[in-house]
Amino acid sequence: MSEVQPQVDHAKPIGLIGGIGLTEVHVYAQHVAPDGMYSGCPHVHAVTDEGYFVLQGTGSVEFHDIEYGYRKLSLEPGQYVHFPPLVMHRLISDGDLIILGMMGNAGLAEAGEARVYFGKEVDDDPETFAKYVGLPKQLGLEGALQLRDKAVEGYMQLMKLWHDDRDAYFADLKRFFDCHCQAMQGIAPILIKNVESGPMAWARETHKRIGQLPARSEVDPVVKLSKRGDESALGMCGVLRPIISLSSFEA
């Protein structure tokens, strides 16, 4: 979801409990997208599950997959939704939607495991694709909103296909997913490293503790926390607070 890279201590499992990645997401509501909605970018993950827990506000999330096509789910505080990879999604806010985003595999999105939908023309032009996804880094929040708008312009054409030509809609969705999976094959070693250092390392640590029973596990009893502050990043969905830096709590 973001461009932020976690600081990795290779002596310890990365990610939070179980190797999960957490991000507080304030869905873009600075101005409406080209379709008149406050929203993030439509995008997809190739291998990682994701969950949303709604903290504040209302809105919806739109889904697209090659079995069901288009679906839309309303969101309200206290609601949790979990979806697998290869389900394209876009968050829509009624104005103040804030969610807690939960990513498997120590947050593989930060390792590049996500692709924004712009449409076939942009996917076929790597220079234009790179230009668009680089806008937040170049222009900050305004660049992130320009990226969102470019994505929604392409997304509107996909929605038109959904209404007018279902065969063309599913053909383009399959094309997009195949494009992303092919790109992810090129960084597979990086993704595997994240998985091995994240959830697999956490599982090995838990397995070791179980094996030590009835002896007490030798663990550092430090309590850690992350406080809401000024930290932020610009992601595909909105302004983010990635929870990747924990401080020790001392009474």
mmCIF file of all heavy atoms in Angstrom, residues 42 92 229 243:
data_model
loop_
_atom_site.group_PDB
_atom_site.id
_atom_site.type_symbol
_atom_site.label_atom_id
_atom_site.label_comp_id
_atom_site.label_asym_id
_atom_site.label_seq_id
_atom_site.Cartn_x
_atom_site.Cartn_y
_atom_site.Cartn_z
ATOM 1 N N PRO A 42 -7.718 1.868 -8.005
ATOM 2 C CA PRO A 42 -7.976 0.436 -8.189
ATOM 3 C C PRO A 42 -6.653 -0.284 -8.384
ATOM 4 O O PRO A 42 -5.803 0.156 -9.149
ATOM 5 C CB PRO A 42 -8.836 0.399 -9.451
ATOM 6 C CG PRO A 42 -8.475 1.647 -10.193
ATOM 7 C CD PRO A 42 -8.150 2.670 -9.152
ATOM 8 N N ILE A 92 -13.695 3.508 -1.568
ATOM 9 C CA ILE A 92 -14.461 4.731 -1.799
ATOM 10 C C ILE A 92 -14.892 5.282 -0.452
ATOM 11 O O ILE A 92 -15.383 4.546 0.408
ATOM 12 C CB ILE A 92 -15.697 4.449 -2.679
ATOM 13 C CG1 ILE A 92 -15.256 3.961 -4.068
ATOM 14 C CG2 ILE A 92 -16.570 5.694 -2.804
ATOM 15 C CD1 ILE A 92 -16.402 3.474 -4.923
ATOM 16 N N GLY A 229 1.292 9.802 15.217
ATOM 17 C CA GLY A 229 2.054 11.042 15.248
ATOM 18 C C GLY A 229 2.040 11.715 13.893
ATOM 19 O O GLY A 229 1.025 11.722 13.203
ATOM 20 N N ILE A 243 2.382 1.122 10.238
ATOM 21 C CA ILE A 243 2.824 0.772 11.583
ATOM 22 C C ILE A 243 3.994 -0.193 11.449
ATOM 23 O O ILE A 243 3.833 -1.416 11.454
ATOM 24 C CB ILE A 243 1.672 0.168 12.406
ATOM 25 C CG1 ILE A 243 0.493 1.146 12.410
ATOM 26 C CG2 ILE A 243 2.123 -0.129 13.835
ATOM 27 C CD1 ILE A 243 -0.753 0.617 13.063
#
